[in-house]
């Protein structure tokens, strides 16, 4: 009994932290979203009005499609690149420590600065992208000016920035795998590729799931890279849900902004649940 | 038990620190802009402190105007006692005033016998007065003007264009000829990226064509034939063999177009007056070669320049309103306005300085500016103006990037702005 109480006491700060910084804001946003809380109008309870407005907002629909597409493409590429990177830096070779350190650099750079660097790459007159375009085709190209170009540029920046994160998580998982299994497999005549697909991948599943959930939730609230690189342009085609929420707050519409935040929360929640469910079902088979 | 005692002690300590910080009343002003501007403003605030004996703490903000608005929105919405005084972009004044965040100034003005007729009435009546109350005073007024290369026009023996079509015609001819020596040369640079500046560029051409965003009856008239013609003209500027660079609608903001022109790669540049000092600075390739004219007349026979600028206001939650009013008076005083003009090139909100001989000597185009201010067009002044602006920016930019035709873009924008108006109009 006494020990139990001590446990609770030690857990209390963490619980308090979660309560203050996770639960209170989420519930606060939920409550806010039920009001017409516009800075220049009297506050009024309007029930689900903000959500009804949300469902009829074409900008919101477009932002949801963009955010889902962006998350799917970039998370897929990040997972693939992350597994590949982790496999390489898991091998024994000279200066492995140095290479591991270098791989982490993009993740260590603050998001906004990284995004600024990518923006400079595509800069029309002086960017390195157009340096090569001019050298190869003789014509500069306004890459961020087309919806497809802007989309791929954003995906590239995000993949570049977060692949190290995925790689490090997977590397940690790889190092926990017992080497004896590999030795046995080698004795049984399994080649490198067979070992990867038959042993490494299945054994890494829980770790991959964690990386997947982390990255998907992160990608769904993509904001900083877009704000810096395209500002949602051209013509609003790269506007993410978070960017819309930010703009609603900036315009003084706190109720609508909160409704958008709740929408992101729900979307991330549902997708995380689907992942967890899908992960568990496969385990049972 | 001991742990609980420690926690209690820690909480007590934190509370003491917080309450100490709370007790101190201090006049606080929020300033933003380019580093050189903030530095100069800080030195002026230092003068104020020395003269008045009121200590002033300065909160610095970046240049980006959205970030500056965000930095003010949070304390104002929370009803914080600080900041007391702050600068506002002309387009926020409506939102801030309607939100009840601004202290009405007319009582203070009456008490001090402060005369508001020293300001441009076109600015003071539309930007600083809200539902009959004076809520701000102009610190710095701004308007769109046209820069041109005197030397190139002379080289080809060309006169200044009389209207928009004339400008496009000259720009195209000169661009063709200059391309033989400079492959990166364009006839005309302006601000087309998806941001507030695009709305300014749009309403200038739209007004010159006889259009507007919201008409005198308060109805949205975005999809008028005049606006469609104006937008089609803007699209044509960037099209193949156009006279504006292809990155106009992705990258061109004030500084990008300023640098483009300053590098000697453009004949005309639409920008705000601040660019003049930089074009004329030492080491600038266009030093001594730049001329200034008002924006050209359009098919409607009118010329129009967007009204911009920064205004100073006092927070309604200020704990030191008397001291704050003294600081506001200081900032719009003749002396301070004069040094801001001479040091930073900020165009005074006071009319009386436009006849000042020192200023006329330093800024030879000040007369052009005075006419421009008197014929300036304001952006719609609704509390939710920025929401309207978001929509307009998005669709105009979509049309410029050719994802939509001018007609499609303006019809869609019209529908969305109407929706916003019904939503927010009580």
């Amino acid at each position: 009994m006494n020990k139990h109480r001590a446990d609770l006491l030690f857990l209390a700060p963490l619980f308090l932290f979660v309560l203050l910084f996770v639960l209170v804001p989420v519930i606060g946003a939920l409550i806010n979203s039920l009001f017409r809380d516009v800075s220049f109008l009297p506050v009024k309870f309007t029930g689900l009005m903000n959500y009804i407005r949300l469902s009829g907002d074409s900008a919101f629909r477009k932002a949801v499609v963009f955010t889902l597409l962006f998350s799917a493409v970039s998370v897929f590429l990040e997972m693939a690149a992350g597994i590949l990177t982790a496999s390489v830096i898991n091998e024994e070779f000279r200066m492995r420590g140095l290479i591991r350190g270098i791989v982490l650099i993009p993740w260590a750079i603050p998001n906004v600065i990284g995004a600024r660097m990518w923006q400079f790459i595509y800069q029309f007159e002086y960017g390195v992208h157009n340096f090569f375009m001019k050298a190869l085709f003789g014509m500069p190209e306004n890459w961020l000016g087309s919806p497809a170009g802007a989309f791929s540029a954003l995906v590239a920046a995000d993949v570049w920035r977060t692949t190290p994160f995925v790689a490090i998580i997977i590397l940690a998982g790889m190092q926990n795998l017992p080497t004896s299994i590999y030795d046995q497999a080698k004795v049984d005549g399994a080649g490198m590729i067979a070992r990867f697909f038959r042993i490494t991948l299945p054994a890494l599943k829980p770790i991959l799931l964690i990386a997947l959930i982390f990255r998907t939730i992160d990608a769904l609230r993509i904001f900083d890279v877009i704000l810096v690189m395209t500002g949602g342009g051209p013509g609003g085609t790269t506007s993410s849900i978070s960017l819309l929420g930010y703009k609603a707050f900036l315009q003084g519409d706190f109720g609508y902004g909160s409704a958008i935040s709740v929408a992101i929360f729900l979307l991330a929640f549902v997708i995380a649940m689907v992942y967890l469910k899908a992960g568990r079902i496969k385990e049972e088979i | 038990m001991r742990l609980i005692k420690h926690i209690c002690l820690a909480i007590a300590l934190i509370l003491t620190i917080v309450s100490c910080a709370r007790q101190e009343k201090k006049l606080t002003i929020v300033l933003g802009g380019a580093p050189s501007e903030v530095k100069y403003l800080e030195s002026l605030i230092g003068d104020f402190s020395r003269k008045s004996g009121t200590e002033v703490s300065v909160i610095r903000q970046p240049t980006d105007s959205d970030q500056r608005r965000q930095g003010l929105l949070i304390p104002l919405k929370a009803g914080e006692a600080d900041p007391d005084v702050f600068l506002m972009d002309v387009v926020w004044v409506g939102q801030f005033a309607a939100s009840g965040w601004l202290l009405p100034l007319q009582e203070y003005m009456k008490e001090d016998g402060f005369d508001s007729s020293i300001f441009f009435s076109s600015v003071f009546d539309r930007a600083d007065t809200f539902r009959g109350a004076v809520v701000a005073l102009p610190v710095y007024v701004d308007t769109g003007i046209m820069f041109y290369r005197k030397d190139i026009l002379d080289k080809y023996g060309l006169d200044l264009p009389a209207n928009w079509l004339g400008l496009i015609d000259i720009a195209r001819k000169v661009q063709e000829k200059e391309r033989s020596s400079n492959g990166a040369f364009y006839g005309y640079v302006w601000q087309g990226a998806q941001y507030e500046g695009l709305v300014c560029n749009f309403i200038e051409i739209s007004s010159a064509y006889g259009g507007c965003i919201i008409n005198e009856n308060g109805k949205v008239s975005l999809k008028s034939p005049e606006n469609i013609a104006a937008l089609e003209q803007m699209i044509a500027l960037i099209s193949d063999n156009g006279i504006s660079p292809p990155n106009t609608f992705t990258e061109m903001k004030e500084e990008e177009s300023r640098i483009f022109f300053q590098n000697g790669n453009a004949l005309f540049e639409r920008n705000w007056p601040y660019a003049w000092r930089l074009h004329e600075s030492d080491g600038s390739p266009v030093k001594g070669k730049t001329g200034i004219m008002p924006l050209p007349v359009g098919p409607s026979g009118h010329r129009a320049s967007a009204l911009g600028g920064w205004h100073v206001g006092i927070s309604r939650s200020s704990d030191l309103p008397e001291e704050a009013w003294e600081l506001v008076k200081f900032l719009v005083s003749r002396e301070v306005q004069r040094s801001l003009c001479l040091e930073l090139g900020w165009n005074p909100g006071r009319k009386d300085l436009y006849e000042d001989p020192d200023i006329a000597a330093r800024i030879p185009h000040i007369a052009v500016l005075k006419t421009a201010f008197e014929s300036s067009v304001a952006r719609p002044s609704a509390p939710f103006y920025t929401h309207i602006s978001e929509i307009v920016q998005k669709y105009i930019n979509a049309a410029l990037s050719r994802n939509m035709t001018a007609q499609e873009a303006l019809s869609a924008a019209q529908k969305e702005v109407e929706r916003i108006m019904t939503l927010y109009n009580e």
Side-chain angles (χ1 to χ4, degrees), chain B residues 145-158:
Chain B
I145 50 172
M146 191 68 77
F147 295 89
Y148 62 91
R149 287 285 298 279
K150 285 189 291 198
D151 58 324
I152 297 183
L153 286 182
D154 287 347
K155 186 163 95 182
Y156 298 110
L158 292 163

Side-chain angles (χ1 to χ4, degrees), chain A:
Chain A
M1 196 60 202
N2 217 347
K3 187 182 170 293
H4 191 63
R5 200 188 289 164
D7 288 350
L8 280 180
L9 198 65
F10 282 121
L11 280 175
L14 188 69
F15 183 70
L16 205 70
F17 183 85
V18 171
L19 189 81
L20 268 179
F21 294 102
V22 180
L23 259 127
V24 170
V26 167
I27 293 169
L30 248 169
I31 294 173
N32 239 351
S33 72
L34 301 177
F35 285 84
R36 184 191 68 181
D37 184 4
V38 182
S39 67
F40 47 83
L41 294 174
V43 177
K44 196 167 86 181
F45 179 79
T46 49
L48 294 176
M49 255 323 280
N50 281 323
Y51 293 97
I52 294 168
R53 179 177 159 202
L54 206 58
S55 65
D57 190 341
S58 66
F60 177 72
R61 273 200 301 272
K62 276 184 210 154
V64 170
V65 172
F66 168 81
T67 308
L68 289 176
L69 196 66
F70 174 85
S71 305
V73 174
S74 58
V75 171
F76 174 77
L77 292 175
E78 280 154 23
M79 294 300 291
I83 293 171
L84 205 69
T85 313
S87 309
V88 171
I89 56 180
N90 192 30
E91 294 300 314
E92 297 267 356
F93 56 88
R94 272 185 52 186
M95 300 204 291
R96 185 172 70 166
L98 184 72
I99 300 294
R100 281 184 181 175
I102 290 175
V103 163
L104 270 180
I105 290 178
W107 197 49
I109 293 175
N111 296 357
V112 170
I113 294 170
R116 200 43 111 196
M117 284 160 47
W118 279 93
Q119 192 192 25
F120 289 155
I121 291 178
Y122 298 110
Q123 209 281 337
F124 185 75
E125 289 151 82
Y126 314 106
V128 70
H129 172 263
N130 268 347
F131 174 79
F132 286 115
M133 290 302 284
K134 273 187 255 181
L136 291 174
F137 307 105
M139 266 298 279
E141 203 196 320
N142 189 14
W143 193 254
L144 295 177
S146 73
F151 180 85
S152 57
L154 289 171
V155 168
D158 198 57
V159 170
W160 171 81
R161 186 175 68 81
T162 45
T163 296
F165 169 76
V166 178
I168 281 298
I169 289 190
I170 295 174
L171 180 65
M174 281 179 171
Q175 289 184 332
N176 279 334
L177 300 182
T179 46
S180 57
I181 304 179
Y182 287 94
D183 295 336
Q184 252 173 350
K186 267 187 215 163
V187 172
D188 289 344
M192 218 173 88
I193 292 170
R195 286 203 303 273
F196 180 76
F197 280 103
R198 295 280 172 81
I199 303 174
T200 314
L201 268 192
L204 280 178
K205 216 185 77 184
I207 283 286
L208 290 178
L209 193 63
I210 290 175
L212 198 63
I213 291 176
F214 265 117
R215 275 309 307 141
T216 309
I217 291 174
D218 227 27
L220 286 172
R221 19 176 226 116
I222 181 78
F223 172 72
D224 35 21
V225 176
I226 297 180
L227 185 73
V228 172
M229 280 180 70
T230 65
T237 48
T238 59
S239 190
S240 69
I241 311 176
S242 301
L243 196 69
L244 276 193
Y246 165 77
K247 285 185 175 167
F249 280 116
L250 204 57
Q251 282 148 4
D253 198 336
F254 300 95
Y256 196 54
S258 300
I260 295 175
S261 312
V262 172
I264 301 172
F265 170 76
L266 288 178
L267 197 66
F269 187 76
V270 167
I271 290 177
M273 284 298 126
V274 169
Y275 278 158
L276 286 176
K277 200 94 193 194
R280 201 171 298 146
I281 288 165
K282 273 190 196 152
E283 222 158 36
E284 278 161 13
I285 299 165

Side-chain angles (χ1 to χ4, degrees), chain B residues 198-210:
Chain B
L198 175 57
V199 180
C200 299
N201 280 255
F202 173 71
I203 63 159
E204 284 167 353
I205 298 195
S206 147
S207 309
Y209 274 73

Side-chain angles (χ1 to χ4, degrees), chain B residues 144-295:
Chain B
I145 50 172
M146 191 68 77
F147 295 89
Y148 62 91
R149 287 285 298 279
K150 285 189 291 198
D151 58 324
I152 297 183
L153 286 182
D154 287 347
K155 186 163 95 182
Y156 298 110
L158 292 163
D159 287 329
L160 282 179
N163 53 35
W164 271 110
L165 294 179
L167 180 136
I168 293 167
D169 192 44
I170 290 176
R172 176 156 294 129
K173 276 188 201 142
V174 169
Q175 177 174 311
E176 255 165 48
K177 289 182 181 148
E178 286 288 308
R179 280 284 170 89
S180 57
S181 57
N182 179 0
F185 193 89
Y186 280 92
Y188 175 42
V189 287
W190 47 286
Q191 295 83 46
Q194 187 181 336
Y195 81 119
E196 187 58 40
L198 175 57
V199 180
C200 299
N201 280 255
F202 173 71
I203 63 159
E204 284 167 353
I205 298 195
S206 147
S207 309
Y209 274 73
C212 59
I213 295 180
I214 292 171
N215 64 20
E216 316 87 76
N217 306 324
K219 290 267 181 300
V220 188
S221 63
L222 268 164
K223 61 173 179 189
S224 64
E226 292 85 6
N227 278 346
I228 294 173
L231 183 53
E232 274 167 356
Q233 182 62 265
M234 289 170 83
I235 298 169
L237 293 173
I238 325 176
S239 61
D240 304 327
N241 301 315
I243 55 168
S244 300
N247 61 336
T248 298
F249 63 91
T250 45
E251 287 173 333
M252 283 293 177
K253 298 189 181 182
E254 283 85 5
E255 274 299 88
E256 285 76 8
S257 24
R258 199 266 299 166
I259 292 165
F260 200 100
F261 181 88
Q262 194 156 325
N263 285 339
N265 292 332
L267 175 63
F268 292 107
E269 173 202 12
R270 182 269 172 213
N271 213 328
W272 306 92
Y274 87 98
W276 167 257
R277 260 165 31 94
L278 297 159
H279 290 329
E280 288 299 303
S281 61
D282 289 330
S284 157
V286 297
K287 186 178 179 181
K289 300 173 182 168
T290 309
I292 291 185
M293 60 182 248
L295 294 181

